Each structure stands twice: as structure tokens, then as C-alpha cells.
Amino acid sequence: MITLHLLDPWKRTPVKTWRFPIKTTIRIGRAADNDVILNDILVSRYHAELSCYRDPENLGRWFLKSLGAMGTFVDGRLVNESKLASGSLIQLGPTGPILEFHEQAFRRSAPTLSECTHAGNMPGNLFCIHCGQPLNVQRTVRNYHILRLLGQGGIGRTYLACEAQSPGEWIGKVPQVRVLKELRSEMADNEKAQELFEREARILQLLDHAGIPRFYDFFVEDGKSYLVMELIHGIDLERWVLRNGPVRIPQAVQWMIQTCGVLDYLHNQEPPVIHRDLKPSNLLVRSRDNQIVVIDFGAVKELGHSPTRIAVEGYSAPEQMMGKPTLQSDLFAVGATLAFLLLGDHPIRFYHHRQGYHRLDVSDRPEIPDPVKEVIHRATAPLMSERYPSAVALAKALRQALAELSPESSKV
């Protein structure tokens, strides 16, 4: 946790405070896209940058890099770059604002795990049925035992992990199993990958919805960033279709109504949040209640912030393909996902040139009833003005389409 206090120039008491629990880079200046914004004539638009060391020798320590025309002083000394200690005073310009830097470390050493020798455990067991200890710990990161690899994507790997305990503490306790997401080592120096990873942690920390995995922890260990989240027991919609084939119409529509409920929550945040990567593989069906859980918030964008171009062909709206996503871009993805669920094939196969636009067109597919076709076509209209105005409006249209289905089509 990094805390910065803006100090009164005479009393040297805090007049404003910023706290950064998960950032590894903090930008200070006058421009609106800084993390700490100071409207002072002596402060440059981009005056200073605070960063966490990533090399093993200085791991966990912070340093300052001066960018401002008026110079930056650390503890009264003019610097271009300087290590920071908790309590360091940062002055922007010779007589400019003074910030007090504080670092609160959460590093805890993980207990040593003795190997379980009990007999009677099945080969696939994660924990001993007698003492509760993990049976196959691949490695330990901070205070988490990594049990196995769950998957890997463009910038990260996800692992099944549990909170570490001393051997005697496992008895009688239910293991706290988590998903631990690791930024791949080859991406550690990639500023954009680091930004996406930190953005996912920051957004998840602020969200509280049954359709979104719960945030538990974010930390940097041995030069790598880690995000710890709730484990959702279920299957994503892409795997569901690959395993079972097209989804029955009532079920597919219900799942998309649930997705709209999560989107409505995101879109009504302050500022509004756009997921930007909604697709079948990022929608989990939770086993215990058949409810949709939206995952993978690495591409999430707070409306009004400079966008990073993230798009998935077939599921991304035209404006998102051009790097200008809106709230309606997420609704476009719901329509394309519904087409995938009902047809069992990638929606890109159903794009055609119609009425001057390249659009998703399922009008010639007899397995989709007309009321549902209309919802898909409007949700995926090339022009935003032709789409539903909100997730609530799209959910209402889906419910109406479901009500209009004949008994025969409901069985499809």
C-alpha cells in the first residue's frame, strides 16, 4: 500500500491523501490523466513518476523519476532519480507542493509445508482426507500454495491455489481455495500488459456483484504481479457448446438476460465501466445455481479514459474495432454471443454485406424464432443509434421475445 500526503507548506500537516493499494507505477502532475493531480503553476503536466523496483536486489522498494521542468526534490535534494523510503518528502519545484511518501508492506513469509504421508488418498485428490494438507504443492508464492495450472492466455497464467497454513493448522479446516492469476514473466517489462493487469485488479477491488468473481489480493513478488480472486465452480459457455452442442432457446435467452444484469451493474458505476471482452469463453455458468458469472476484466475500460484497442472478431462492435468502445459495444457482444449459443458456431460465419453494412445476419436460420432474430439483429446493428440504449432495455426485449415463443420453439 502506497500513501501520499499533500502537506500544508507551513504546518507540514496532511491536507489531502491518496492511497494506492495495488499500483506499481504512480504518476504525478497537472494533467487530468495522472494518478495524483495537482493544479499548481509550478507543477508540470507530467512532473514525476513513482515506480516499484523489479530487480531482485531492490525488490519491493520504490524510486522516483523526475520529469518536470522545474525539477523535483527528495528530502531537500534536487534529483533526476532517487530511491524512496517511508517518510520521504517530495517537493515539486523549488517552492512547489510537498508530498509525503509512505509505504506499508504486507509481505508475509509462508509457513513451511511438511509432506503428507497418509495413505488412502485417491490420485486426483488435492487435499489429504485425513489431515487436510495439500497433496501436491507446485510452489509457494507469498502466502499461497499453487496446486495446479488452470489455463493461460495472452499476458497471464491462472492457477488453482490455497492459502498457506502450518501443517498442524489444516486439521478440521475447510481449505480456502482461490484462483491466482500471474502476469507472465516475459510480460513484466511490457508497460501495456502491466497496465491491463493492474486495471483488472483495480476494477475487481471496487466491484461487488454475485455475477463477478470476488477480489481478494494483489501483490508483486520476485518481480511478478499476482491477482487473487474467487474460484467459480462451473463451465464457460464456449466449452458448454463444444461439449453439448447448441443451447435450447429458453436457456440461452435466460443466460443472456443474466449477463445483461451484470452489465447493468457495470454500466451504472461511477464512472461507467465497459467490459470490452464479452464473449462465450468469458461467461461462466456457475454449477451450484446455473447463474452467469462474467470473468476476465483485464480489458475493462472506465468510460472517459484513453482506450486501448481491444477487439474480438465476430463479437466486437464496429466502433470497438476502431478503438472507440461505448456501453452499447458490450450489448453488441451479448447479441453475437446469443447467436453463437443458438447456432453452435462462431458468429463470424454469419456476417453478410446487407444494406450497405457488414452485419450479423441470422434471418435465414430456421432454428431461431423470429422474435429472437429481431433481438439479435437490433443488438448487433452496425450503427449505435439502432441498438438498444441500455442493458436493461436489451434484457426487457429478451424477456418479451421469450414470452412470444410458441410451445414448439421453446423445445428447440
Side-chain angles (χ1 to χ4, degrees), residues 267-338:
H267 294 174
N268 280 285
Q269 296 300 298
E270 186 57 48
V273 169
I274 310 172
H275 188 277
R276 291 201 297 171
D277 197 18
L278 212 65
K279 55 188 177 183
S281 60
N282 284 340
L283 297 173
L284 292 182
V285 181
R286 189 164 47 212
S287 300
R288 63 179 169 84
D289 57 8
N290 199 40
Q291 295 293 302
I292 288 293
V293 178
V294 179
I295 63 169
D296 199 349
F297 282 72
V300 155
K301 172 184 178 291
E302 294 174 345
L303 196 63
H305 288 199
S306 300
T308 301
R309 186 181 178 277
I310 295 173
V312 182
E313 192 174 16
Y315 294 99
S316 296
E319 69 277 2
Q320 184 171 333
M321 298 292 286
M322 294 186 290
K324 299 178 180 179
T326 67
L327 301 180
Q328 279 75 26
S329 304
D330 282 346
L331 308 186
F332 184 103
V334 172
T337 297
L338 180 56

Side-chain angles (χ1 to χ4, degrees), residues 347-361:
I348 196 66
R349 293 173 57 86
F350 307 101
Y351 277 80
H352 304 284
H353 198 74
R354 297 280 191 273
Q355 300 172 332
Y357 295 99
H358 191 61
R359 64 175 72 215
L360 179 60
D361 188 351

Side-chain angles (χ1 to χ4, degrees), residues 68-268:
M70 300 297 290
T72 306
F73 297 77
V74 174
D75 296 326
R77 182 170 56 91
L78 180 65
V79 300
N80 289 321
E81 189 171 304
S82 174
K83 291 183 179 180
L84 295 171
S86 196
S88 290
L89 296 181
I90 303 167
Q91 187 162 19
L92 310 180
T95 59
I98 299 173
L99 295 167
E100 188 175 47
F101 172 89
H102 286 279
E103 178 184 9
Q104 182 180 357
F106 292 99
R107 183 180 294 274
R108 291 181 287 174
S109 58
T112 303
L113 181 68
S114 61
E115 188 173 344
C116 174
T117 57
H118 287 114
N121 288 296
M122 299 295 289
N125 285 13
L126 290 174
F127 300 92
C128 175
I129 59 175
H130 304 287
C131 67
Q133 289 190 57
L135 294 173
N136 183 24
V137 177
Q138 296 182 4
R139 58 191 171 99
T140 299
V141 179
R142 187 69 68 96
N143 56 310
Y144 297 97
H145 292 319
I146 292 180
L147 306 179
R148 69 169 183 237
L149 178 70
L150 291 176
Q152 54 186 335
I155 67 172
R157 296 184 179 93
T158 55
Y159 298 94
L160 185 67
C162 66
E163 294 189 6
Q165 307 274 359
S166 297
E169 295 179 337
W170 291 101
I171 299 174
K173 288 189 176 180
V174 177
Q176 299 299 309
V177 183
R178 307 283 186 245
V179 171
L180 187 143
K181 190 170 183 179
E182 173 190 73
L183 182 65
R184 288 163 54 185
S185 54
E186 57 267 34
M187 293 291 178
D189 294 326
N190 185 313
E191 186 175 346
K192 188 54 65 178
Q194 185 69 40
E195 178 190 337
L196 290 173
F197 199 80
E198 290 180 9
R199 181 188 295 167
E200 180 171 14
R202 185 176 66 250
I203 292 295
L204 283 174
Q205 186 184 32
L206 299 174
L207 301 178
D208 182 16
H209 190 281
I212 299 171
R214 188 178 293 111
F215 169 92
Y216 287 111
D217 200 1
F218 179 89
F219 58 90
V220 178
E221 185 86 357
D222 295 332
K224 293 182 181 179
S225 297
Y226 294 89
L227 169 62
V228 185
M229 300 173 288
E230 176 187 9
L231 172 67
I232 304 296
H233 295 278
I235 183 173
D236 69 67
L237 292 182
E238 183 176 64
R239 291 185 184 181
W240 197 102
V241 170
L242 290 175
R243 181 181 297 177
N244 302 295
V247 184
R248 290 182 59 236
I249 295 168
Q251 180 63 85
V253 173
Q254 284 292 350
W255 279 339
M256 291 304 95
I257 290 172
Q258 293 170 18
T259 303
C260 286
V262 180
L263 290 178
D264 179 55
Y265 172 78
L266 293 174
H267 294 174
N268 280 285

